[in-house]
Amino acid sequence: MQIVVAGQGYVGLPLAVRAAEVGHRVVGYDVDPHRVQQLAASQSYVRNVDSTRLRAVLDSGAYSATADAAALAGFNIAVITVPTPLRDGVPDLTYIESCARTLGEHLRPGATVVLESTSYPGTTEELLLPILEETSGLKGGADFLAGFSPERIGNKRWSFDGTPKLVSGIDAKSLDVIKSFYDGIFQTTVPVSGPKVAELAKLLENTFRFVNISTINEMAMLANALGVNIWEAIDAAATKPFGFTKFTPGPGVGGHCLPVDPMFLSWKAQQELGIPFRFAELAADVNRHMPDYVVRRLVEALSKRGIPVSGSQILLLGLTYKYDATDLRNSPSARVAELLIGLGAEVRGAEPNIPDNDDTGLNVPRVDATPEEVAAADAVVLLMDHPRFDLAMIEEHATYVLDCRNRLSGANVETL
């Protein structure tokens, strides 16, 4: 089939490449011409799509990248994987709206449009569908098909195509076609009764993680004040074989999903029902203040050694929001750096997962985590324990480390 994947970021590119690998003709559409140029040159910027795989589907002709909307004509299935950010606590769905209008101009009878971008329950049927109908002059269900299938990127244990895929449709025929499409890409598909269920399921997945991470972050602050090792307590609790899921603290939650998605449901509940989603709002408040807590702990540690934070040399290790990621979106490292710079510290950052020529979103001077850099710092903060960091070297050469990941040991190390 002729497939369009609109949005070639962390969600869209893996889907587009995988669809091309299983035999579809895929057009990767993105409005960013620089991103399209990178893709055309076989330069992948997404960790779970290496450039070798990208080059293979480009060379075979199964995949092409474009910023030209005219190339979307004739699609059988179009998948929308565009960003859905929050703006001052309000969902910004302008990317979905713009993409829907563009696709609607090329929508033909019998074609299918699938939304993967995360949003509040009702987005597919109440926002996407009317735009497609208005732009195309066609009727959803009668003339074209549509549905929602939330993105699930996978992790170290679960591959992209090995992660079960939720699928839904606006009617039975839409569900059948959408499920058939994803059956050819994913090992397991899980149909649900409608788009609102799938939309809420995605928010539930991320709210579960968000609230539990927030709980353990707040507990870490309390444990430190009580003089208890939170990491030992977590490991002790994790010996229970039921009724407990292990979460660990850190400098704050980042990325597009966790700090954003629960607030979609909070906004929707407030707008439609007039009631707050208190757990999500409390969790957001806790995580917003985790960088402040990291900085406060660091200032206290420096003070004990007679070093004022103003003029001190601080080295931040790991600036992405997640372990071994290449993604800086909403990373708590930015806030940690901002607070320290505001206090007069001289801050440098080591981030081996971001190329030296790509400083988008990095607000500190870049250095490598060498023995000399580590030794020269008055304090080292391990924000993210990337595998490329030499942890033994850091233990040996650092005069003081605030370890936010519980990966280091020694008299010169304190954990969060």
Side-chain angles (χ1 to χ4, degrees), residues 170-233:
I170 60 171
D171 55 21
K173 186 175 181 181
S174 294
L175 175 60
D176 184 59
V177 170
I178 292 169
K179 183 178 185 302
S180 177
F181 167 65
Y182 283 115
D183 278 343
I185 295 174
F186 293 87
Q187 297 173 26
T188 304
T189 58
V190 182
V192 298
S193 60
K196 288 184 179 179
V197 173
E199 289 161 340
L200 183 60
K202 174 61 177 179
L203 297 183
L204 177 58
E205 294 170 19
N206 285 342
T207 301
F208 173 81
R209 291 177 59 207
F210 185 56
V211 169
N212 278 283
I213 292 172
S214 301
T215 299
I216 205 66
N217 278 341
E218 187 165 38
M219 193 169 286
M221 292 187 275
L222 294 172
N224 178 258
L226 293 170
V228 180
N229 187 318
I230 184 64
W231 301 93
E232 184 179 0

Side-chain angles (χ1 to χ4, degrees), residues 268-347:
K268 182 71 168 177
Q270 190 66 55
Q271 291 295 309
E272 282 204 357
L273 307 175
I275 58 176
F277 185 16
R278 290 176 294 174
F279 270 105
E281 293 168 6
L282 179 59
D285 183 68
V286 169
N287 275 291
R288 272 195 302 268
H289 290 92
M290 282 309 294
D292 303 75
Y293 176 68
V294 171
V295 171
R296 185 167 70 248
R297 287 283 306 276
L298 188 59
V299 170
E300 291 171 356
L302 289 169
S303 180
K304 288 178 182 178
R305 294 162 53 211
I307 302 174
V309 64
S310 180
S312 63
Q313 304 284 328
I314 309 297
L315 177 61
L316 305 180
L317 300 181
L319 304 178
T320 60
Y321 84 92
K322 188 169 68 172
Y323 174 83
D324 205 23
T326 58
D327 196 344
L328 293 163
R329 290 177 297 175
N330 297 314
S331 176
S333 65
R335 180 60 178 163
V336 171
E338 179 185 11
L339 291 169
L340 288 170
I341 292 170
L343 293 172
E346 297 181 17
V347 183

